[in-house]
Amino acid sequence: SYFLRHARSRNYVSESEVCKLESVPLDFGDYHPLKPITVTESKTKKMNRKGSTSSTSSSSSSSMMDPLSSVLDGTDPLSLFAAAADPVTSAPPTDGARRKRDKDESSAVGSDFEPWSSKRGEILARYTTTEKLSINLYMGSEKGKATTTGSAVSEKVRTRLEELDDLEEGSQKELLNLTQQDYMNRIEELNQSLKDAWSSDQKVKALKIVIQCSKLLSDTTVIQFYPSKFVLITDILDTFGKLVYERILSMCVDNRVSLPDNFSPESVNDTAKETCLNWFFKIASIRELIPRFYVEAAILKCNKFLSKTGISECLPRLTSMIRGIGDPLVAVYARAYLCRVGMEVAPQLKESLNKNFFDFLLTFKQIHGDTVQNQLVVQCVEIPLYLTLYSPAIDWILQCIAYHAPDVLLTEMMERCKKLVNNALLLNSVMSAFRAEFIAARSMDFIGMIKECDESGFPKHLLFRSLGLNLALADPPENDRLQILNEAWKVITKLKNPQDYINCAEVWVEYTCRHFTKREVNTVLADVIKHMTPDRAFEDAYPQLQSIIQKVITYINDFALLFSVEKFLPFLDMFQKESVRVEVCKCIMESFIKHQQESTKDPVILNALLHICKTMHDSVNALTLEDEKRMLAALINGFIKMVSFGRDFEQQLSFYVEARSMFCNLEPVLVQLIHSVNQLAMETRRVMKGNHSRKTAAFVRACVAFCFITIPSLSSIFTRLNLYLHTGQVALANQCLSQADAFFKAAVSLVPEVPKMISVDGKMRPSDAFLLEFLCNFFSTLLVVPDHPEQGVLFLVRGLLNVIQDYTWEDNSDDKVRIYTNVLHLLSAMTQEAFIYHVDKVDSNDTLYGGDSKFLAEINKLSETVVSQILDHLKTLGKEETLKRQSQLALYFFNTILAHGDLRNNRLNQLSVNLWNLAQKHGFADTKTMVKTLEYIKRRSKQPDMSHFTELALRLPLQSRT
Amino acid sequence: MGTALDVRVKRAGKVYRDGEVLSGVVVITSKDPVQHQGISLTMEGSVNLQLSAKNVGVFEAFCNTAKPIQIINSTIEMVKPGKLPSGKTEIPFEFPLQMKGNKVLYETYHGVFVNIQYTLRCDMRRSLLAKDLTKTCEFIVHSLSQKGKLLPSPVDFTITPETLQNVKERASLPKFLIRGHLNSTNCVITQPLTGELVVESAEAAVRSIELQLVRVETCGCAEGYARDATEIQNIQIADGDVCRGLPIPIHMVFPRLFTCPTLETTNFKVEFEVNIVVLLHDDHLITENFPLKLCRM
């Protein structure tokens, strides 16, 4: 009663002058904690795209950065962090120890040299077998070799002979029938036992393990697994080499000073040298060639302890030692290992690398010799498959040779390969290992050579694939380009096996996209469709087909052009497995969002993308994960935002209507559509400068109607509430008063349905904070909503208050009273002669009633009720356990009165003093706050017309806490 | 643990030559003071000869081992009887490695029937109650460089079915032609044996090519003399069916201790040979023998 009669009258304009903070220009270059963590690249891109809509920079940074879409741009903080953390090594992640070694390696040869570690995974994945493997270890068979009192030479030789007839003796440990996984586990066990033996100082045992392991490399049964076996076993050898080197290095520590990296042999002490020498003598006496070679190669680095020239003398010797290995496959892998060690230890010694390759060429004819052929017959391995087993080794050797090698050398290598018959295998390795530029420049030569290759030898599609890979990286001479494509495709299109075909085509699509127009791309796509459709061959080739799409959209960023490629959409039809199809659609949409700079209305693009979006949308079902849905919705939203028909607003609206019918299962899309339609209404208003014509008024009403019928279909109650409020505001701004009323009424009637708990980010949270926020927002809007002529005064406010009254609040919460207190703010604002804000071209209650006394009385009545409710509530809080809440609430109410009440009124003055005392009564008040409040009152009292505050301050005692 | 005795020579490789001074320390570690009746150090070098069972009867081989030939033997008293303090005591020593007259200091060699070994033995004599302590440590003697230049003596060889001796059925042999050379049969013991081998042709697949290092030990005694050839080591230089016409390196490091410069004395002889052994796939075994002369430069 006594409150509003004495509401402080306000002069909002002058108050805002006084209270406004000094404006400080924001510097956006600086770090700001609330600024989204996106990195410049995506940021600028986004700004370009949406720059026109952002009026103030502060709002743009908060509203534009949709966290989801920034994830889609691939610039989420996590991946950026990951990328930044590992800038040097491009190697795929493997175990830590391995990566550490890579660094050592690259420090010697430069990071542009693709390290072995990046190859090994590939080899392990590619060369697999389902056949049973065996491991043969004869530990301890070397018992006292030198000291046995053998009698005659020939007898001794006979026992050797028996040992060569493997798999007989009882002393050996033999593991048969191992699956590939078992085999790998066993090898890993051996690796572990090597380390164990070493650390427990059983050096001889360690050496024996290594010897036995490298012996496995002479075994070529289950030949298709050999490359993988090589990888596994050379890992062990590497471990061994490192252990020996580090041990000897540790012996050189003198006075706790270890040797520098580039030590000279003179600075190595005798003990270390002796130990090192011992290792070499021991290894030199290993009987069998292959273990002797591998183990010596493994500790090649240790030569550094003995002499400066040690390594450069050893490498050629080891190189020629390999000549003794009869099996060409075993020999070539031995060469690969030597090159690998050589590159690591002494990359400057190129000669041995070349020598290795030339030696290999000399023995090349063996591959087609009888011994090998017989072996293949026994193992039932076809020649083409057998030849591919060589690739990793030859690729590696050639890669080592080609590293920083002059073109002359490469040309020489190539010429040498050319001279051999059946050289497809070599040709392929040359193409995989040499610089792409080198290959690309000679593309026509290579095509010629490939054509001449024997059909029954190395698979031709692999050759074309390798060539294609080079051409994807480097450009051939301008004049040859078309001819290259024609020649290559002529062969590719003839490939019968769909798998071979697609592996080849996949690579060549990139070349085509890179250098040719949509006509050629179209032809290629058509050819792929033709090959992959029969017998539903595409079902086995989804990864390749997907990669083709990826390449096409990487090169063709112009979507108008892309969709004018006739076969593009038919190509998409091949993705019949839904998960893959959705994946592909996602890729396309991502690319669209990333590359489309301007909004579009191109019917071709719209049709195609709507189709794609529809596909994504239709994949959503009850089992779809939340994350997936969010992702799809963000993509579709990105598309919707890019569609603009310019000034053709009606077309735009009908697009939104169509979109709504298409994407009804994804709520975020519906929300986006409502926002878009609201934006459209506001855009109309802007164009008409606020004065709607009959036509635009009707259009705006149509927009509002769109929202009105869309909102109820959403499930999230707060989304609905906020959208009602938001759209109501839009309607109000467009002078659709009755529509606005309808929205607000809908919002009011929805409030009782707000549940106590809502799910936020998958967790259940109490909803009260959200509700409180919404209601405050709502009340602020209601200030300017004019009363409906047929309804009573303030019917919306009353309605909302009734709803609040009836709402079942948490038992021990003060939210209701807090809202009531806030309502007092609203009511006090309503009593002012001119309201604090208005909506352009809408007359609010201040104009409608013109300060009519009946209106004020009505407000008074309302505020009386509210105040009494508050006081009642304060009384109920008098119990021991609620005293703290009482204190807080009392202070809150006190502050409200202080801000909005006219304290010259005695009763109000008395009420505030009582509240102040109540707040302090039980010692729950925060002294600091009380002191500050008092200081504030004193400060205010110095302002004009505020002298009564001095008196008030005197009546407010501060309670010292005892 | 009570008292520990250790003999350490200075050089890490423990290698000494005639005329050099063998130096090192005797290390005694003990928690308590050690009472002793004197510590002495003995340097010994001897040749042990054993007759093989093949030449004499088993019984004789067992008991009739020829008396060791002493090369060098000298003892010094390091510490007079007394007491050593607790903890670690290091007593340095020096032995001049000097031969009397024109006796030769043979190089250390560990064979089957001939053993040439040098040891340092430290004895700590103690009272009746405590056992005497002894510790032996082998050291290695390398003979002095031989005077004069080593003349390389390269050998070329060709092996075909026709060149073979001891063939039972020459007709059943597969045809083959193996050529090659050894860079020298006069070898410096510290340098590897080198050469090349080419399988020019072979009807049967090659299975393995090996270098077999053989010692030939001859012992003379009252009953006559015994000559035995035994394998020292076997080094494979080719594994599998090697490429025809491609030279394969012959490379073999002479193992330490088990080889020494070729030695010829009145009582015994130590010589070395190498066999090139080619195994063919049908179990044919082809061996070519080359006597070697090892020396130290």
Side-chain angles (χ1 to χ4, degrees):
Chain A
S1 59
Y2 35 87
F3 179 74
L4 280 166
R5 205 174 299 147
H6 306 287
R8 194 156 69 85
S9 66
R10 315 278 293 263
N11 182 340
Y12 289 123
V13 180
S14 65
E15 265 181 51
S16 87
E17 291 287 297
V18 175
C19 299
K20 216 186 264 172
L21 289 171
E22 199 183 336
S23 68
V24 179
L26 279 175
D27 186 357
F28 274 84
D30 283 350
Y31 167 77
H32 186 276
L34 293 178
K35 217 164 133 185
I37 315 164
T38 35
V39 171
T40 42
E41 190 196 346
S42 74
K43 178 107 179 152
T44 48
K45 219 178 272 163
K46 283 188 152 302
M47 285 314 184
N48 286 346
R49 193 142 54 84
K50 297 172 178 172
S52 59
T53 56
S54 63
S55 45
T56 65
S57 39
S58 66
S59 77
S60 78
S61 70
S62 58
S63 66
M64 287 301 129
M65 299 312 291
D66 174 5
L68 274 182
S69 61
S70 64
V71 167
L72 296 178
D73 280 358
T75 52
D76 65 310
L78 277 182
S79 62
L80 275 171
F81 178 69
D86 196 31
V88 199
T89 53
S90 58
T94 42
D95 53 309
R98 191 145 270 291
R99 187 182 294 187
K100 203 175 145 221
R101 208 160 50 72
D102 292 348
K103 276 190 190 147
D104 300 345
E105 230 169 296
S106 56
S107 70
V109 289
S111 55
D112 51 341
F113 186 74
E114 192 188 356
W116 173 254
S117 55
S118 70
K119 305 257 183 195
R120 68 184 290 282
E122 210 176 294
I123 297 174
L124 287 177
R126 184 169 161 196
Y127 297 98
T128 57
T129 180
T130 50
E131 285 188 43
K132 296 296 182 198
L133 300 157
S134 62
I135 296 183
N136 239 314
L137 299 172
Y138 3 61
M139 301 296 270
S141 70
E142 293 179 299
K143 47 190 175 202
K145 182 180 294 170
T147 50
T148 27
T149 5
S151 38
V153 182
S154 56
E155 271 174 43
K156 196 71 197 168
V157 173
R158 206 161 298 137
T159 45
R160 292 275 167 248
L161 240 168
E162 278 162 13
E163 262 177 47
L164 277 171
D165 285 331
D166 44 13
L167 316 178
E168 262 159 39
E169 286 298 309
S171 66
Q172 69 205 20
K173 185 178 167 192
E174 197 187 329
L175 302 160
L176 291 170
N177 278 329
L178 298 174
T179 65
Q180 185 179 324
Q181 192 53 47
D182 289 344
Y183 192 91
M184 293 167 93
N185 295 343
R186 293 285 177 176
I187 298 281
E188 187 40 48
E189 277 170 29
L190 283 171
N191 203 352
Q192 197 49 49
S193 55
L194 164 66
K195 287 178 195 163
D196 292 347
W198 189 268
S199 57
S200 60
D201 220 36
Q202 294 173 281
K203 305 287 188 296
V204 176
K205 187 178 172 198
L207 180 63
K208 270 186 187 165
I209 292 174
V210 175
I211 292 173
Q212 296 309 321
C213 286
S214 32
K215 223 180 250 184
L216 296 176
L217 283 175
S218 58
D219 174 19
T220 52
T221 50
V222 195
I223 203 160
Q224 57 271 43
F225 184 64
Y226 192 84
S228 292
K229 182 159 81 175
F230 170 78
V231 168
L232 295 172
I233 289 172
T234 52
D235 278 354
I236 298 185
L237 287 165
D238 287 348
T239 312
F240 177 72
K242 217 167 71 181
L243 289 172
V244 173
Y245 183 81
E246 278 166 9
R247 159 142 168 88
I248 298 177
L249 192 65
S250 73
M251 295 172 86
C252 300
V253 177
D254 197 20
N255 291 331
R256 296 201 185 152
V257 180
S258 48
L259 287 176
D261 274 353
N262 287 320
F263 61 87
S264 69
E266 292 84 53
S267 53
V268 178
N269 65 40
D270 282 352
T271 322
K273 269 186 182 153
E274 186 60 28
T275 311
C276 190
L277 213 54
N278 250 327
W279 277 113
F280 280 113
F281 269 111
K282 225 169 252 172
I283 289 165
S285 70
I286 296 173
R287 198 189 82 85
E288 278 167 275
L289 173 67
I290 289 170
R292 190 168 68 245
F293 163 79
Y294 272 104
V295 180
E296 185 169 357
I299 64 160
L300 183 69
K301 199 178 179 187
C302 295
N303 275 297
K304 277 165 68 179
F305 296 110
L306 296 177
S307 77
K308 269 206 160 66
T309 53
I311 293 176
S312 58
E313 285 161 10
C314 262
L315 270 176
R317 183 170 56 74
L318 288 171
T319 303
S320 52
M321 192 166 159
I322 300 174
R323 289 178 169 200
I325 300 177
D327 189 302
L329 187 68
V330 177
V332 80
Y333 275 93
R335 294 189 190 284
Y337 185 66
L338 189 60
C339 291
R340 187 169 123 198
V341 176
M343 277 306 269
E344 197 179 321
V345 175
Q348 73 282 4
L349 299 174
K350 302 258 179 221
E351 268 315 299
S352 302
L353 300 175
N354 299 348
K355 179 81 167 32
N356 263 306
F357 187 64
F358 294 146
D359 270 5
F360 168 69
L361 293 185
L362 286 175
T363 58
F364 187 72
K365 56 178 185 278
Q366 271 186 293
I367 295 176
H368 304 277
D370 289 343
T371 315
V372 169
Q373 301 299 326
N374 293 340
Q375 192 187 5
L376 296 186
V377 171
V378 172
Q379 294 202 29
C380 302
V381 173
E382 304 270 329
I383 290 278
L385 173 70
Y386 175 69
L387 290 177
T388 57
L389 299 178
Y390 283 83
S391 291
I394 306 177
D395 287 1
W396 177 259
I397 297 172
L398 284 175
Q399 190 197 324
C400 294
I401 291 174
Y403 181 67
H404 287 189
D407 272 6
V408 191
L409 179 70
L410 300 189
T411 318
E412 192 201 333
M413 294 282 174
M414 209 176 105
E415 290 305 317
R416 290 221 191 184
C417 295
K418 251 189 202 173
K419 281 186 200 131
L420 295 168
V421 285
N422 290 325
N423 57 4
L425 166 64
L426 293 171
L427 217 52
N428 186 53
S429 289
V430 164
M431 287 190 286
S432 332
F434 284 10
R435 286 188 282 279
E437 295 78 21
F438 180 88
I439 306 294
R442 294 161 181 75
S443 302
M444 284 312 290
D445 288 354
F446 275 100
I447 288 185
M449 286 188 277
I450 295 172
K451 277 185 178 166
E452 282 167 24
C453 287
D454 186 8
E455 285 292 339
S456 62
F458 196 83
K460 254 186 192 180
H461 63 95
L462 290 182
L463 290 167
F464 271 104
R465 189 181 141 86
S466 301
L467 182 61
L469 284 171
N470 281 298
L471 292 175
L473 294 172
D475 301 339
E478 187 84 48
N479 296 332
D480 292 349
R481 287 180 189 172
L482 185 61
Q483 204 188 344
I484 292 170
L485 182 64
N486 284 335
E487 292 288 344
W489 208 266
K490 223 188 285 173
V491 181
I492 296 170
T493 194
K494 279 188 199 131
L495 292 171
K496 296 247 164 45
N497 181 333
Q499 209 59 32
D500 293 349
Y501 171 82
I502 195 69
N503 281 329
C504 228
E506 176 204 348
V507 171
W508 280 85
V509 163
E510 183 153 6
Y511 174 72
T512 316
C513 294
R514 211 173 141 107
H515 298 295
F516 300 99
T517 60
K518 71 168 204 191
R519 197 173 73 92
E520 285 80 6
V521 175
N522 195 39
T523 317
V524 168
L525 291 184
D527 195 55
V528 175
I529 296 174
K530 202 178 93 193
H531 275 83
M532 300 313 286
T533 313
D535 301 327
R536 300 177 69 79
F538 51 77
E539 283 177 347
D540 299 323
Y542 285 137
Q544 291 93 332
L545 293 173
Q546 231 174 320
S547 136
I548 290 180
I549 290 284
Q550 280 283 17
K551 281 167 186 155
V552 171
I553 56 180
T554 316
Y555 282 95
I556 308 184
N557 291 332
D558 180 349
F559 275 72
L561 184 66
L562 179 67
F563 289 121
S564 68
V565 174
E566 287 149 35
K567 291 293 178 184
F568 186 74
L569 289 177
F571 193 92
L572 290 186
D573 289 340
M574 280 200 290
F575 296 99
Q576 298 202 350
K577 191 174 159 199
E578 188 173 52
S579 60
V580 184
R581 193 166 65 223
V582 172
E583 266 324 293
V584 171
C585 290
K586 278 203 243 172
C587 286
I588 298 173
M589 288 316 295
E590 273 165 28
S591 161
F592 176 78
I593 291 171
K594 197 168 161 194
H595 292 114
Q596 187 72 21
Q597 300 288 337
E598 293 157 4
S599 45
T600 178
K601 59 174 181 178
D602 183 330
V604 178
I605 299 183
L606 293 192
N607 266 331
L609 289 185
L610 271 177
H611 173 71
I612 288 168
C613 288
K614 178 100 177 102
T615 309
M616 295 200 297
H617 169 266
D618 292 351
S619 74
V620 173
N621 56 35
L623 296 177
T624 311
L625 295 174
E626 253 343 282
D627 249 4
E628 173 78 4
K629 280 197 219 167
R630 233 181 313 209
M631 180 98 154
L632 295 176
L635 288 171
I636 298 177
N637 285 347
F639 164 59
I640 290 173
K641 285 186 216 162
M642 290 314 287
V643 175
S644 165
F645 291 89
R647 294 294 282 266
D648 192 348
F649 289 166
E650 286 181 8
Q651 176 97 47
Q652 185 88 36
L653 183 61
S654 61
F655 169 75
Y656 290 141
V657 172
E658 192 187 347
R660 182 178 59 185
S661 67
M662 272 182 166
F663 308 125
C664 54
N665 286 335
L666 285 169
E667 281 202 10
V669 178
L670 294 181
V671 173
Q672 173 62 43
L673 285 171
I674 291 168
H675 282 304
S676 294
V677 169
N678 278 335
Q679 200 183 2
L680 189 62
M682 293 309 278
E683 188 66 14
T684 316
R685 178 178 177 271
R686 194 182 62 80
V687 169
M688 299 308 287
K689 301 200 172 63
N691 300 313
H692 282 298
S693 67
R694 181 190 293 257
K695 196 177 165 198
T696 59
F699 176 72
V700 167
R701 279 197 291 277
C703 290
V704 172
F706 174 96
C707 298
F708 194 72
I709 57 171
T710 311
I711 295 172
S713 65
L714 301 174
S715 67
S716 159
I717 194 142
F718 277 102
T719 312
R720 263 188 284 165
L721 282 175
N722 286 318
L723 283 174
Y724 274 135
L725 179 57
H726 188 76
T727 318
Q729 287 165 347
V730 170
L732 202 58
N734 284 296
Q735 299 128 47
C736 308
L737 298 183
S738 56
Q739 282 84 353
D741 274 348
F743 280 107
F744 297 135
K745 266 191 239 167
V748 169
S749 55
L750 195 57
V751 169
E753 288 173 31
V754 172
K756 289 241 168 48
M757 304 292 273
I758 55 165
S759 151
V760 180
D761 294 337
K763 283 180 196 152
M764 293 310 283
R765 295 268 165 76
S767 64
D768 46 4
F770 295 94
L771 186 56
L772 208 63
E773 187 192 330
F774 168 73
L775 288 175
C776 293
N777 200 352
F778 198 2
F779 279 124
S780 307
T781 308
L782 288 182
L783 174 65
V784 289
V785 179
D787 279 345
H788 195 280
E790 287 162 20
Q791 310 276 355
V793 173
L794 296 179
F795 81 104
L796 281 172
V797 177
R798 282 167 195 279
L800 190 51
L801 281 173
N802 287 337
V803 166
I804 293 168
Q805 175 75 42
D806 296 341
Y807 185 77
T808 41
W809 296 90
E810 263 326 309
D811 284 340
N812 49 2
S813 99
D814 302 322
D815 289 329
K816 186 161 86 172
V817 178
R818 281 178 198 278
I819 291 168
Y820 282 155
T821 321
N822 289 345
V823 168
L824 288 180
H825 303 174
L826 169 70
L827 294 177
S828 74
M830 279 184 162
T831 58
Q832 304 300 325
E833 224 162 277
F835 288 172
I836 184 166
Y837 43 79
H838 292 95
V839 176
D840 194 23
K841 298 199 166 50
V842 173
D843 289 332
S844 295
N845 285 342
D846 53 347
T847 328
L848 287 184
Y849 296 112
D852 183 73
S853 58
K854 270 187 202 158
F855 174 63
L856 291 179
E858 210 46 56
I859 295 176
N860 251 340
K861 239 199 295 180
L862 212 51
S863 59
E864 245 173 70
T865 325
V866 171
V867 168
S868 63
Q869 289 267 355
I870 297 173
L871 293 177
D872 283 350
H873 187 77
L874 276 177
K875 261 178 230 158
T876 63
L877 291 178
K879 285 178 220 125
E880 185 69 36
E881 64 272 17
T882 52
L883 286 176
K884 189 173 183 184
R885 278 162 57 198
Q886 189 189 40
S887 155
Q888 283 171 348
L889 222 51
L891 189 65
Y892 189 56
F893 192 24
F894 173 81
N895 282 333
T896 301
I897 296 178
L898 202 62
H900 297 283
D902 185 353
L903 285 168
R904 277 173 295 207
N905 176 288
N906 284 336
R907 292 180 61 190
L908 201 55
N909 205 316
Q910 185 56 46
L911 175 64
S912 62
V913 173
N914 290 347
L915 284 170
W916 175 268
N917 289 332
L918 182 63
Q920 292 195 108
K921 194 170 171 186
H922 299 286
F924 283 104
D926 176 32
T927 322
K928 228 186 209 167
T929 316
M930 301 310 271
V931 171
K932 283 232 166 115
T933 312
L934 203 57
E935 273 170 15
Y936 166 76
I937 295 171
K938 284 177 185 161
R939 213 168 43 240
R940 283 290 301 274
S941 68
K942 296 196 178 87
Q943 288 172 2
D945 301 332
M946 286 297 183
S947 50
H948 58 284
F949 267 46
T950 324
E951 193 194 330
L952 175 68
L954 290 174
R955 296 180 61 195
L956 302 178
L958 265 181
Q959 207 160 49
S960 58
R961 204 171 285 175
T962 45
Chain B
M1 192 51 210
T3 315
L5 193 63
D6 197 14
V7 184
R8 292 177 196 162
V9 293
K10 209 169 174 186
R11 290 185 191 169
K14 297 179 177 177
V15 177
Y16 293 86
R17 287 157 188 263
D18 194 357
E20 289 181 333
V21 173
L22 175 63
S23 61
V25 284
V26 168
V27 184
I28 301 133
T29 32
S30 170
K31 274 188 208 154
D32 310 305
V34 189
Q35 187 80 45
H36 65 90
Q37 305 292 313
I39 300 171
S40 63
L41 192 65
T42 311
M43 177 170 72
E44 266 179 322
S46 63
V47 183
N48 285 293
L49 300 178
Q50 197 185 4
L51 300 179
S52 81
K54 209 170 61 180
N55 295 39
V56 290
V58 181
F59 177 73
E60 285 163 300
F62 190 69
C63 51
N64 209 10
T65 38
K67 223 177 114 196
I69 305 161
Q70 198 147 72
I71 308 167
I72 196 168
N73 190 353
S74 62
T75 306
I76 47 170
E77 193 71 18
M78 294 185 83
V79 187
K80 295 245 164 65
K83 206 171 186 177
L84 289 173
S86 62
K88 191 166 153 185
T89 314
E90 288 193 3
I91 310 163
F93 62 84
E94 278 190 351
F95 263 114
L97 211 55
Q98 203 92 51
M99 292 307 291
K100 285 172 202 129
N102 51 2
K103 267 188 165 177
V104 198
L105 203 57
Y106 300 134
E107 188 161 329
T108 299
Y109 167 74
H110 292 254
V112 181
F113 304 106
V114 177
N115 260 302
I116 305 171
Q117 198 171 15
Y118 296 86
T119 51
L120 273 174
R121 197 181 70 236
C122 179
D123 292 296
M124 181 196 274
R125 289 178 302 282
R126 298 209 278 183
S127 61
L128 283 170
L129 291 172
K131 251 204 308 193
D132 291 357
L133 289 178
T134 303
K135 173 77 186 181
T136 343
C137 158
E138 182 176 2
F139 66 95
I140 294 152
V141 170
H142 278 178
S143 49
L144 294 171
S145 301
Q146 270 142 4
K147 309 255 160 38
K149 221 178 159 214
L150 183 76
L151 288 173
S153 51
V155 188
D156 288 326
F157 58 88
T158 306
I159 315 173
T160 62
E162 290 70 38
T163 63
L164 297 177
Q165 300 157 356
N166 294 333
V167 186
K168 282 180 193 127
E169 295 166 74
R170 203 173 289 271
S172 72
L173 268 182
K175 288 199 169 55
F176 60 85
L177 169 60
I178 296 167
R179 288 193 294 112
H181 67 268
L182 294 176
N183 289 335
S184 173
T185 52
N186 289 342
C187 300
V188 181
I189 198 164
T190 51
Q191 300 295 314
L193 172 75
T194 53
E196 262 182 357
L197 180 144
V198 189
V199 180
E200 296 285 5
S201 66
E203 267 180 2
V206 177
R207 188 144 141 189
S208 176
I209 302 175
E210 291 159 20
L211 298 175
Q212 189 182 36
L213 182 63
V214 175
R215 59 192 146 216
V216 183
E217 293 163 318
T218 314
C219 304
C221 62
E223 289 83 14
Y225 73 96
R227 189 172 189 275
D228 291 286
T230 48
E231 178 186 294
I232 300 173
Q233 69 174 12
N234 192 313
I235 295 291
Q236 191 185 36
I237 57 166
D239 180 15
D241 198 16
V242 288
C243 190
R244 306 290 185 267
L246 188 71
I248 296 163
I250 291 175
H251 182 98
M252 180 165 68
V253 176
F254 293 111
R256 297 191 289 190
L257 300 178
F258 303 115
T259 51
C260 66
T262 305
L263 189 59
E264 205 165 331
T265 71
T266 46
N267 297 0
F268 64 95
K269 273 201 285 191
V270 180
E271 293 154 307
F272 298 92
E273 291 173 358
V274 70
N275 289 325
I276 292 176
V277 182
V278 180
L279 274 161
L280 297 181
H281 228 273
D282 40 14
D283 283 350
H284 280 106
L285 179 80
I286 306 152
T287 307
E288 189 81 11
N289 179 273
F290 303 91
L292 299 177
K293 186 162 165 41
L294 300 189
C295 61
R296 189 172 291 281
M297 293 308 273

